[in-house]
Amino acid sequence: MLTPPPPHDYMPKGMIRDHLQWSAAGVAGSEVRDELARHLGEISRYAGGLILEAVKRGFSVYRKPDGSSYTDADVEAERFILEALAAHFPNIPVIAEEQSAARAEAGESAAPVSDIFFLVDPLDGTRDFTSGGLEYTVNIAAIVNGAPVAGAVYAPANDLLWIGGAHAYTTTIAPYAAPPEFEDWRAIHTRIAPQEGLTALGSRRHGDGRTQEFLARLPIRKRLSTSSSVKFCVIAQGEADVYPRFGPTMEWDTAAGDAVLRAAGGSVVDEKGFSLVYGQSRNGYVNGPFIAWGDSAQSHMYCG
């Protein structure tokens, strides 16, 4: 069984916390954001390796009080991510899915955050994961003043990694492989909405009437279904145009994919066309309805 090294052993050179000149007054510079995104990608890869190890040995499935499921893999991946973030960013709070679920089960309110924090979903798409699907992801995002300024989405079953800081990139890389070189990354960008019609993405396992009503208003040429944060990344790399979601989601479900999509030129907005805002602790970090667009100009036409 492969074992990932301690967090400090894979820290990319030059990426030390002193480089993060974050402040509540402004977002870090583009070079720092890209470097942070690469670092979050490294953490997500190693967490993905732990998930694959759980698949090999077998894992147990548990139920939360709200009826949703989690597994040993969720817990182990989140523990690793929290340790890695604490090692390099000890003064920045983290909101993570399983940690938040434990607080809720204990009757505690959602943990508050400052203007700078991380959002973590250690295994997005658990239902797909437990049924043998391959589209589950590890999601990590850095939030400054309510906006995702850097994020990483890793699909360990497919060795696919997407990152977004000031720019968006993707690469194919195994969980415990050496860090990718510059030439291994491919820059990705969203596309202008095709005149012949839009390609819409929907959840493979979640649907609701309001989402279908919204899609009925659009000039849809093709519909595709996929799971987890992969949907944001497909739009980010110019292979689809819109992903509406009016059913319930949590901030850790969307923040990393949102970071990648924004960095690629897209947007994630609410029904009125305003950018999705993160850090809503009073709401328990529950998202409202949102629409992810590849061509941001479309949001002005169909939102508001």
Side-chain angles (χ1 to χ4, degrees), residues 95-136:
I95 301 300
E97 180 178 15
E98 303 312 326
Q99 189 180 68
S100 298
R103 287 180 66 94
E105 190 169 1
E108 301 175 13
S109 58
V113 292
S114 63
D115 294 329
I116 303 170
F117 68 100
F118 291 104
L119 275 167
V120 172
D121 189 343
L123 204 169
D124 185 28
T126 300
R127 188 181 301 182
D128 190 63
F129 172 71
T130 57
S131 63
L134 303 177
E135 293 176 333
Y136 54 89

Side-chain angles (χ1 to χ4, degrees), residues 178-198:
E181 301 292 339
F182 175 80
E183 59 270 16
D184 296 327
W185 292 104
R186 176 171 65 90
I188 56 175
H189 306 278
T190 58
R191 68 186 183 187
I192 296 174
Q195 293 185 350
E196 62 270 22
L198 306 177

Side-chain angles (χ1 to χ4, degrees), residues 101 126 158 168 244 262:
T126 300
N158 297 306
R262 292 193 198 197

